[in-house]
Amino acid sequence: MKLPYAESYKIKMVESIKRSKSFEREAWIKDAKYNLFNLKSEQVFIDLLTDSGTGAMSDRQWSEMMLGDESYAGASSYYKMKEAIKDILGFDHFLPTHQGRAAENVLFSVLVKEGDIIPGNAHFDTTKGHIEFRKARALDCTIDEAFDTTLDYPFKGNVDLKKLKKVLKENPKEKIPFIILTLTCNSAGGQPVSMKNISAASALAKKYDIPVLFDSARFAENAYFIKIREEGYQDKSIREIVREMFSHADIMTMSSKKDAIVNMGGFIGLRNEELFTKASVYNILFEGYITYGGMSGRDMNALAQGLYEGTEFNYLESRIGQVAYLGQLLMEYGIPVQFPFGGHAIFVDAKRFLPQVPREQYIAQTLAIQLYIEGGIRGVEIGALLADRDPITRENRYPKLEMLRLAIPRRTYTNNHMAYVAAAIKNVYDRRDKISEGLRIVHEAPIMRHFTVELEKI
Ligand code: F0G
């Protein structure tokens, strides 16, 4: 008998979580204005809001915390992080930042100006936010296959090379500061980009003399999918695949709260010294001096250690295996989910789950609220609320997909938790015909509204 995967670690410390009753949750979510971000964490039993900064650090990472060097300049922790980045990702220069969006803020302050166009595969919302904040445009060139949740396609994060070529051809080079590849593609459902696609997209960008930026939050999960799904990579190690992936990038940003398994941290990786020098100025202005930029020494140490742990095959196999375990249970219950399953999350297709709720009533948010009331589970809407308004016309943007994302924190929950989540979703599914009305907005912010939006039941 082939032995199944099992976690490549055991548990040394645990944290209690609280169960509650559904009538309590009904009152709490009403008080929270039907915005799951407004809940207190103690009002949540299983928290699948995000996999960002919510993972469990290892004993080695905690040991590294003790060794942190908190010197303002030239700390050994800075050099430890520099060495790990060079070793695993191959970048000579880097700037630490407090998280991923801070890396975007620093870098885009140098590179993005009004009127620019930045093509890519479904930019993450903070990335898009930082582009639109600078009055530039993020152009989504993801392949159409990504938007059909029933289609079995191994690399739904891929860039459509024809769409990309059209953008590069039709716009002057000066207007395109870089192209972005998001690995894995969060907004498309944690879907990977193939090596073939990475290589072709970057060759195309090079032809037009445009730099390639990797948004690398979940790069290791992307490498795992390449290893198991793409021909020619089965015998390569995750680290070899990672190095090959990054050989196609000129610049990278990383929210290290994901695949480096830390609670806070991020960085920019660069090859060009001139760009590094320019970005350093903004790093000092927004984040902190270049050898700590928004991070304490102990956090840089834990991050360096996390980059090694996050790129171990056995860890990735059990991590992605756990996500697939939840996905499999949901499929067995007949629940519509993005397939194949993503690396960090299961995306429930809310339009197929609740076809009777109109899109103007926020389908995926309606489902998210129902799941919270059912089981105390907090997911997040990836739909019209997140898509926000068009910055120019101010009209609501309705994305092709309305998803409820169930993001699984790393090394945090057990498969029993996954079984509980699946059962709760099944209960909502069994009573879906009774959910006919959604939500309306009573208050929203001018940009990135989904964090603070206030809603009421219709
Ligand atoms: N890029 C991607 C692909 C992301 O998923 C995120 C964050 C960021 C950039 C920004 O990084 O949060 O460290 O500032 N994603 C989180 C999520 C918030 O829940 O998916 P950050």
Side-chain angles (χ1 to χ4, degrees), residues 50 99-101 104 124 126 186 215 218 255 258 405:
T50 180
Q99 60 184 84
R101 68 200 69 183
E104 291 161 358
F124 181 66
T126 60
N186 187 359
D215 177 352
R218 301 178 183 85
S255 166
K258 285 85 167 171
R405 185 185 78 171

Side-chain angles (χ1 to χ4, degrees), residues 147-353:
F147 305 105
D148 180 352
T149 56
T150 60
L151 188 77
D152 187 1
Y153 190 82
F155 292 101
K156 283 186 172 177
N158 280 358
V159 185
D160 185 322
L161 298 166
K162 280 200 198 109
K163 290 184 199 167
L164 179 64
K165 191 170 179 182
K166 192 166 182 292
V167 179
L168 299 184
K169 216 170 160 177
E170 290 177 359
N171 292 282
K173 183 184 148 211
E174 298 67 43
K175 269 193 177 280
I176 310 176
F178 49 85
I179 70 159
I180 287 192
L181 296 184
T182 310
L183 313 164
T184 58
C185 188
N186 187 359
S187 312
Q191 297 291 319
V193 183
S194 71
M195 191 72 88
K196 200 171 155 205
N197 191 253
I198 293 174
S199 158
S202 90
L204 194 60
K206 279 201 179 67
K207 195 176 141 203
Y208 286 87
D209 198 19
I210 290 166
V212 178
L213 168 77
F214 282 6
D215 177 352
S216 326
R218 301 178 183 85
F219 74 94
E221 291 172 5
N222 200 90
Y224 175 83
F225 283 119
I226 289 177
K227 182 174 167 74
I228 59 164
R229 291 186 190 164
E230 192 164 348
E231 216 185 306
Y233 289 92
Q234 276 69 23
D235 296 330
K236 296 216 160 127
S237 71
I238 295 291
R239 299 227 178 100
E240 282 169 336
I241 296 171
V242 165
R243 272 192 291 269
E244 186 179 333
M245 279 163 52
F246 281 93
S247 71
H248 296 289
D250 300 295
I251 319 164
M252 65 171 290
T253 52
M254 181 176 183
S255 166
S256 306
K257 301 165 74 173
K258 285 85 167 171
D259 277 357
I261 329 177
V262 287
N263 304 116
M264 192 51 77
F267 62 92
I268 309 168
L270 311 104
R271 302 194 197 283
N272 181 307
E273 197 166 352
E274 194 189 326
L275 180 58
F276 167 75
T277 308
K278 281 186 187 159
S280 299
V281 176
Y282 290 100
N283 215 60
I284 296 170
L285 199 58
F286 297 150
E287 291 294 297
Y289 180 63
I290 49 176
T291 63
Y292 73 85
M295 294 184 75
S296 48
R298 52 180 169 269
D299 287 336
M300 290 194 278
N301 273 13
L303 196 163
Q305 172 65 22
L307 281 175
Y308 287 100
E309 292 178 15
T311 47
E312 279 168 13
F313 176 79
N314 290 340
Y315 151 72
L316 284 165
E317 184 182 43
S318 63
R319 189 278 185 285
I320 292 174
Q322 183 176 53
V323 175
Y325 172 71
L326 173 61
Q328 204 57 48
L329 286 177
L330 293 178
M331 293 242 305
E332 279 162 24
Y333 294 151
I335 289 150
V337 294
Q338 171 71 292
F339 186 82
F341 313 126
H344 69 295
I346 293 299
F347 283 62
V348 182
D349 187 335
K351 271 193 197 163
R352 282 161 60 211
F353 196 114

